Amino acid sequence: MYELLKIPVAASAHAGQIDRMTVLTHWLMAILFVGWGAFFIYTLIRFRQSANPKANYAGVKSHMASYIEWAVAFVELVLIVAFAIPAWAARVDAFPAENESTVVRVVAEQFAWNVHYSGADGQFGRTDIKLVAADNPLGLDRSDPAAKDDFNSVNQLGLPVNKPVIIHLSSKDVIHSFSLIQMRVKQDTIPGESIPVWFTPTVTGDWEINCSQLCGLGHYRMRGFYSIKTQEAYEAWLKETAAAELGAAQ
């Protein structure tokens, strides 16, 4: 079924849970499609004009349609209660501790993803909208001691494998939608809000960051890239990227 649905590679710890819901929902829709299609064809034949030249105002007395509707509602309730709500609760309530996770900030804008790393001290420096400029897209205040080792990358997100990741999402202008398909993560970014999402990558690889919300005329080119690396490769990439970004900022 997974191959039939062409589901992208599952690269996070919770991806299987999401995929099971997707497959079950598709099975339900397939059964409904075949069932109601067959019922429609039956009614066309059973109640055709030639077989029923005179209208029967009493109608059909069977309650089978009601029973089927109740059965479908019950299955949908099971999908919500047994699958959707637990998955949602785990994503919303069961956040890992930040000191045991990789924490980054992603700030969306028309039409790019700005990724903010806290640097070696693990503390995000102060930002000020008044400091936002072409060479300082996040408005970092370099006079803040915590910001001196902070750096950002544009449309490039690097993360380590097998370690929880917490991403704080925000937007500088309009509503965007941060989508990492292989991680089974999709969350709107809303101006004035900082919205956290979390996941645990389980597979290394390189994929695209998509904007899943129409955000303007340049929406089509709002593509970023993310790379899941081994811990050693991630630390090396982090040092190299920090050196390049901080050197350019000086």
Side-chain angles (χ1 to χ4, degrees), residues 28 45 58 71 86 136 197 206 239:
L28 175 61
I45 298 173
N136 188 9
V197 296
D206 301 295
K239 291 179 180 177

Side-chain angles (χ1 to χ4, degrees), residues 113-117 138 151-158 237 241 245:
W113 302 101
N114 299 288
V115 185
H116 182 185
Y117 293 90
L138 296 175
F151 64 95
N152 70 283
S153 61
V154 179
N155 293 330
Q156 298 291 333
L157 171 63
W237 175 86
T241 306
E245 293 294 331

Side-chain angles (χ1 to χ4, degrees), residues 36-195:
W36 288 120
F39 177 73
F40 177 66
I41 294 173
Y42 166 77
T43 57
L44 290 177
I45 298 173
R46 171 68 178 79
F47 302 106
R48 66 191 186 276
Q49 184 180 10
S50 60
N52 302 270
K54 185 177 180 180
N56 180 353
Y57 294 100
V60 177
K61 300 296 185 179
S62 172
H63 295 285
M64 183 58 66
S66 298
Y67 299 150
I68 294 174
E69 289 173 0
W70 279 108
V72 171
F74 174 76
V75 173
E76 292 174 343
L77 183 63
V78 170
L79 285 174
I80 293 172
V81 174
F83 294 93
I85 291 178
W88 175 82
R91 296 298 96 200
V92 173
D93 297 330
F95 265 75
E98 290 205 352
N99 59 2
E100 298 175 356
S101 310
T102 301
V103 183
V104 299
R105 292 175 176 173
V106 174
V107 182
E109 66 173 290
Q110 295 175 313
F111 298 95
W113 302 101
N114 299 288
V115 185
H116 182 185
Y117 293 90
S118 60
D121 64 1
Q123 296 183 13
F124 289 99
R126 192 178 73 86
T127 59
D128 188 336
I129 193 171
K130 296 177 182 178
L131 299 175
V132 172
D135 59 348
N136 188 9
L138 296 175
L140 273 172
D141 182 1
R142 293 297 180 185
S143 65
D144 180 10
K148 292 188 180 299
D149 61 349
D150 286 18
F151 64 95
N152 70 283
S153 61
V154 179
N155 293 330
Q156 298 291 333
L157 171 63
L159 299 169
V161 72
N162 296 325
K163 184 178 180 181
V165 174
I166 300 175
I167 300 179
H168 294 275
L169 296 167
S170 57
S171 173
K172 292 166 63 175
D173 39 43
V174 300
I175 295 176
H176 302 272
S177 187
F178 181 74
S179 177
L180 308 179
I181 296 174
Q182 294 74 17
M183 299 295 126
R184 305 299 189 265
V185 168
K186 189 168 82 70
Q187 173 63 53
D188 285 355
T189 67
I190 301 173
E193 298 285 340
S194 179
I195 303 172

